[in-house]
Amino acid sequence: MVMDVAAADSGAQLLLATSSDSSYPPENMIDGKSDTFWTSTGLYPQEFILSFTSLVNLKNIKLQSFQVKGLTIERSVQQDPTDFETLKKAQLSPSDASLQMEDYKVDASTAKHLRFIITSGYDHFISIHRLSVEGSPVT
């Protein structure tokens, strides 16, 4: 059964974010809402690590962001978040006043952890409004 394995209510957790503002915590990315968000506090690269409760089959990664330019998505199948390998690299188009809506097909991949590295932005600050990962637990 395909579901949003990145949702906080499915047990997914953000283990690390390289910047944090108490008004815009990293957990906002996986709360299922587009009007809450995580924001960087400047400088690049910025990164965050999303961990699933178990190994999952990945189908699609959807990201709603603002001012993100360069993005690398990596995966790890280890129990601990180590030994990452590149899954996707992207250059996002500027979005002016609207959110960037990105959709990455990643069929035939598994992961226990995903690391998102924002290598550059269109401004000093970026924000991630919503992150969802369509997938299913490996059985």
Side-chain angles (χ1 to χ4, degrees), residues 3-82:
M3 56 188 247
D4 183 2
V5 293
D9 60 10
S10 74
Q13 294 183 325
L14 285 154
L15 293 187
L16 167 87
T18 52
S19 61
S20 186
D21 178 323
S22 59
S23 299
Y24 309 104
E27 293 76 22
N28 284 353
M29 291 185 275
I30 58 172
D31 67 3
K33 304 173 194 168
S34 296
D35 59 343
T36 61
F37 56 90
W38 168 73
T39 186
S40 69
T41 53
L43 301 178
Y44 297 100
Q46 293 286 330
E47 70 179 63
F48 57 91
I49 296 175
L50 175 70
S51 290
F52 306 110
T53 55
S54 63
L55 192 65
V56 296
N57 292 306
L58 303 172
K59 295 283 181 207
N60 229 17
I61 299 171
K62 295 182 179 184
L63 192 67
Q64 293 178 7
S65 58
F66 189 66
Q67 299 291 41
V68 173
K69 185 176 183 181
L71 174 68
T72 300
I73 304 172
E74 299 176 336
R75 73 180 186 115
S76 168
V77 296
Q78 305 302 320
Q79 189 60 32
D80 294 320
T82 59

Side-chain angles (χ1 to χ4, degrees), residues 118-136:
I118 295 121
T119 56
S120 60
Y122 289 102
D123 198 348
H124 297 292
F125 304 97
I126 58 92
S127 57
I128 306 293
H129 290 252
R130 187 159 186 214
L131 169 63
S132 65
V133 179
E134 293 174 357
S136 58

